[in-house]
Amino acid sequence: MLTVRPDTSLDPELLAAIVREQGTPTYVYDARILDAGVRRWIEAVGDPSHICYAVKANYNLGVLARLASHGIGFEASTVGEMARTLAAGVQAGRIVLGGVPKPAEAVAEGVRRGLDLVVLQAQHEVEAAVRAGDSLEGPPARVGLRVRPGIRAGAHPSLETGRADAKFGFGPAEIPATWAALAGAKGVEPTTLAFHLGSGLDSFEPYEGAIDVLLGLVQELASAGHRVRELDLGGGLGVAYGGTGTDLEPADLVRIVRERLEGTDLAVRYEPGRSIAARAGTLVTRVLYRRERDGHPALVCDGEFTDFGRYSLYGAQHRIEPLEGTLEGSDTVEVLGPTCESGDKLGTDRPLHGVRPGDLLAVRDVGAYGFVMASNYNARPRPAEILVDDEGWKVVRERETLEDLWRGETVD
Ligand SMILES: Cc1ncc(COP(=O)(O)O)c(C=O)c1O
């Protein structure tokens, strides 16, 4: 494991210049850090088509197009994510419709579109795939089954998805009959067993246990005459947001997986999101004022939990750094947003004592599950998104206008 690499290329001067033009709060992504994130995976895995970036982590079209230039695949969990990925210029044959709960129409759409793979995780999805496959004229649609391996991932409870009590996937005992039903259908071809254990894992151990569950199923299916061609291991690698821990390395995961699968001819697919996008993003916010709260100083900023919700949702403590001025003393402050909720925080216990009203703060490592989770609560337009590369920077999503806030509504 390597120690944390801070995203030094998004330097304070550049960020300050961007928000002088674009205002705050603004998300800024560094394309070179996105590139580095993908390359780490390609070096570890080899074939880029076995890496399917989880679109939900950051689906800005500019980001998707940059990632697509590396030849990787994409995992979309909804028809909306699939449409965005297609809009970014990615061919349908490079997209997986992932194993998250979906309506029957979404499954049918995935089957009809000729995606690389459609992962099914409930009985109504299996029935929808079989029905849609029946009316296909070309080759059968490749489908997979998501397994709920009953493994605790050690992540935040809201982000654990492979536990026995999770809502996702089929229990191992349900797999043989479900696979057999798919194998007997004319328009679909079952190829893949999948899991996704959770997001933000800080050890590889859960993967080992879950792979063993899948291997048991591969054997059981083989003894009934069915061949599994591929395992899809989902995403999950965590990022040490606070700046002091370590990031899990794709190469270490791949080594463990290869050891586990030695002697089999199974292909392996990975669906990383956070580990590719998180470190590429910074949210720049301006301090509105400073307030003493029962002796605890707080900075109230113009960026709030509706712009960046990871502290409020998961207690995630991201690095928060001043863009201007110097830090004085070691006293810590809370960093708050302006909404009418006391839980509206960007972070706590930050050594930002010298920061004054009007100063800019950089919330780091927000490239994954940042803007995509933003909302318009309090009727606030969502922030602009900027992409920086060697050529300079460009707006890849304009800040919303006030009119955007009521588009489609009517007073009649
Ligand atoms: C099915 C699936 N695959 C991949 C991912 C990506 O996970 P991560 O961003 O932790 O790598 C998710 C995230 O929730 C998911 O649900």
Side-chain angles (χ1 to χ4, degrees), residues 242-402:
T244 51
T246 54
D247 287 359
L248 292 188
E249 281 297 321
D252 292 330
L253 174 62
V254 171
R255 187 176 33 76
I256 289 166
V257 170
R258 288 198 177 131
E259 277 167 20
R260 224 55 183 190
L261 299 187
E262 216 180 316
T264 76
D265 60 356
L266 289 159
V268 182
R269 189 188 295 265
Y270 299 89
E271 298 176 354
R274 189 187 305 276
S275 62
I276 287 180
R279 292 214 178 269
T282 294
L283 177 68
V284 185
T285 177
R286 194 175 289 281
V287 178
L288 299 176
Y289 63 95
R290 197 186 155 96
R291 146 101 14 119
E292 292 293 325
R293 306 195 319 164
D294 298 332
H296 300 295
L299 302 170
V300 181
C301 306
D302 64 1
E304 58 182 63
F305 79 125
T306 59
D307 299 313
F308 181 67
R310 297 203 65 262
Y311 179 82
S312 297
L313 282 168
Y314 316 116
Q317 293 278 18
H318 285 242
R319 294 182 291 142
I320 305 181
E321 300 160 356
L323 288 192
E324 303 144 315
T326 49
L327 295 176
E328 292 162 18
S330 56
D331 287 352
T332 58
V333 301
E334 282 192 312
V335 183
L336 310 179
T339 62
C340 47
E341 297 228 4
S342 298
D344 179 10
K345 299 181 187 180
L346 298 177
T348 56
D349 301 320
R350 306 282 105 180
L352 296 169
H353 207 66
V355 172
R356 293 174 190 79
D359 285 357
L360 294 168
L361 294 177
V363 187
R364 299 292 195 176
D365 309 319
V366 300
Y369 307 106
F371 183 91
V372 288
M373 298 181 89
S375 83
N376 290 119
Y377 178 54
N378 275 186
R380 277 171 35 108
R382 285 179 296 170
E385 291 177 287
I386 309 294
L387 190 64
V388 177
D389 64 14
D390 287 333
E391 313 290 307
W393 59 273
K394 63 180 175 201
V395 179
V396 285
R397 190 179 207 276
E398 290 175 3
R399 182 179 308 284
E400 286 177 337
T401 63
L402 290 180

Side-chain angles (χ1 to χ4, degrees), residues 41 52-54 56-57 75 77 98-100 146 159 161 168 195-196 198-201 207 232-238 271-276 368-369:
W41 274 96
C52 292
Y53 167 70
K56 63 171 73 70
E75 183 262 343
S77 62
V100 294
R146 176 165 175 174
L159 299 175
T161 52
F168 308 92
F195 64 64
H196 170 67
S199 197
L201 273 63
Y207 287 96
D232 178 342
L233 308 187
L237 293 202
E271 298 176 354
R274 189 187 305 276
S275 62
I276 287 180
Y369 307 106

